[in-house]
Amino acid sequence: MSQTQQTAPNPPLTAASTQLYRKIAWRIMPVMLVDRVNVGFAKLQMLSDLRFTETVYGIGAGIFFLGYFLFEVPSNLILHKIGARVWICRVLVTWGIVSGCTALVRTPTEFYTMRLLLGVAESGFFPGMILYLTYWFPSHRRANMVALLLAGSAISGIIGGPLSGAIMRFFAGTRGVAGWQWLFILEAVPAVILGILVFFTFDDRVIHATWLSAEEKAAVASEIDDEATVKTHLTILSVFTSPRIWLMGSIYFGIEMGSYAIGFWLPTIIRATGVKDPFQIGLRTVVPYTLALISMILTGRHSDRTRERRWHVVAPCLIAAIGFALCTQGASSALLAAIGMNLAVVGVVTAIPMFWALPTSFLGGAAAAAGIALVNCTGNLGGFFSPAIIGILKTHTGTLNSGLLLIAACMLASSILILTLVPAKLVNR
C-alpha cells in the first residue's frame, strides 16, 4: 500500500473552467438520471392480489440487495477494465428485462427469485456512475455532480409517484392484467431504452470525447491528474482490509437504512394517515421529493463552493432522524406525520450525494473502482435489513412506529461516526 499525505490542490473556480465543466455536465448527466421501478407503489395492490404478508414483502424487497452485494465489486472492476459505455448498457438492459418479468410472479419464492436477479442485474449501476464521475470531474466539483446524478431519485418521486399511482388506477384490469403488473411492465421500458442510448452516447474517458477540443481535454486531464497525486492509493486486495473503507461503509449503511425505509415504505406511511387511493398517494409524494430535489442541488453547490464535506452530510442526517421520529405520530396527528415525512425525505435524499464526497475525496488509482463498490455494497446491505426488519416489526406490532424509530437511530449513528472518526482535513477538498 502506498499513501500520500500532501495537501490537495485547490485550483481557482474560473469562469472558463466553470463553463467547461458545465458543458461536460450537460453532455453526460441527463442520460444518468434513471431510477428504480417503484416496488413501493406496486405493494399497495400486489400484497392483496397475491396474498403476501408484510413480512414476505419486506424480505422480497430486501433480498434484492443480497444479489447486489455479491456482484457489486466484480461489476465495478469489470467497468473499470472494459469501460462504462458497454457495461452500463448491459446493466440497464438486463435490469429492464428482469424488472418487466417481475410482473409474472405468483408465489413468494418467485418474488424472492426475481428480486435477487434484479439485484444481480443492477449491481454495477450506481457505483459505476460514481466511478465514472471521478474520470470527468475533480473532487471540488463532484458533490454537485453526484447531487445531479441522484436527482433521478427525487425526480422519480416527483413524476414517478403520481405516474405509478395513475398506472395502477387507470390500467388496472386492462387486458386482464392487474395494475401492479402494468406498473412493472411500463416502468421497465425506459431502462432498456436508456441502456441503448448509453451505448451510442457515452465516452469512456475524457481523451475519447470528440465533442471536446484538444485544449479542453488537456485542461480536464490536468486537474484530474493533479488530484490523483494527493489521493490514497491502495492495491485492490488491501481495499478489503482498509479501516477507512469499512468506516465509510458503516456510515453509508446507516444512511441507506433511511433511504430504503422511504423507498419501500413511504406509500404505506402516507396510507396510514388516511389516504387510500394509489393515485392520491402518488400525488402526495410530489411535495417532499420536490423539496428534496431543491435541497440536494443547493447543498451540493454550497459544499463544493466552501469545500466543506462533513457537516453537509451530518446536517441532513439529523434532519432525517427528526423526520422519521415525527412520522410515528401519524395515528394521532396527520400534520406532524406530514411534516416528518417531508423532513425525512429531504434529509435522506440530500445526505446520500453529500456522503459520496467523502470517500471519493481520498480514494484514487485503480483500486477506487473496488473501494467505491465496497463502500456502496456494504452500505446497501441496509437495503436488505431496512425493509425486512420494518416488515417483520410491522407484522408483529401492527404499526411502523418501532421500525421508524430504529431508522432514526441509524441516521443519528451515521452522524456521530462522521463527526468523531472522519478528520476534516481528509475530506475537505
Side-chain angles (χ1 to χ4, degrees), residues 356-375:
W356 282 105
L358 303 182
T360 57
S361 66
F362 65 83
L363 273 174
I372 290 170
L374 183 58
V375 169

Side-chain angles (χ1 to χ4, degrees), residues 42-58:
K43 166 186 177 288
L44 297 176
Q45 292 179 352
M46 189 179 190
L47 263 62
S48 59
D49 285 1
L50 301 181
R51 298 180 181 177
F52 288 175
T53 66
E54 297 283 357
T55 300
V56 168
Y57 168 75

Side-chain angles (χ1 to χ4, degrees), residues 142-315:
R142 204 175 299 136
N144 191 39
M145 290 303 105
V146 177
L148 289 176
L149 168 64
L150 287 169
S153 296
I155 293 172
S156 175
I158 296 169
I159 301 175
L163 179 61
S164 297
I167 289 172
M168 292 176 63
R169 180 178 180 180
F170 298 112
F171 278 73
T174 302
R175 297 187 177 274
V177 179
W180 64 268
Q181 292 176 304
W182 277 114
L183 179 64
F184 282 115
I185 294 168
L186 295 178
E187 292 195 355
V189 174
V192 176
I193 295 174
L194 278 170
I196 297 170
L197 189 61
V198 163
F199 184 80
F200 288 105
T201 61
F202 262 34
D203 295 294
D204 289 330
R205 300 275 184 159
V206 175
I207 59 172
H208 301 138
T210 57
W211 41 275
L212 290 177
S213 68
E215 293 78 11
E216 290 172 330
K217 292 179 186 178
V220 175
S222 176
E223 284 205 49
I224 299 296
D225 291 343
D226 288 345
E227 181 180 275
T229 65
V230 299
K231 287 186 173 182
T232 299
H233 295 262
L234 306 171
T235 65
I236 292 176
L237 289 178
S238 65
V239 163
F240 294 90
T241 59
S242 169
R244 284 180 181 172
I245 299 298
W246 289 109
L247 171 62
M248 291 294 140
S250 299
I251 293 168
Y252 196 48
F253 176 86
I255 297 173
E256 287 292 81
M257 287 287 285
S259 175
Y260 289 101
I262 289 172
F264 290 118
W265 295 99
L266 181 60
T268 304
I269 294 171
I270 296 173
R271 187 166 63 179
T273 65
V275 182
K276 303 300 181 184
D277 181 67
F279 182 58
Q280 293 299 322
I281 290 174
L283 290 177
R284 280 162 173 77
T285 65
V286 171
V287 172
Y289 279 108
T290 300
L291 294 174
L293 178 62
I294 295 170
S295 172
M296 69 193 301
I297 292 176
L298 293 181
T299 305
R301 289 178 179 174
H302 188 265
S303 180
D304 280 347
R305 186 169 63 251
T306 61
R307 305 195 184 189
E308 196 289 323
R309 306 304 183 185
R310 298 192 310 162
W311 280 103
H312 284 81
V313 187
V314 170

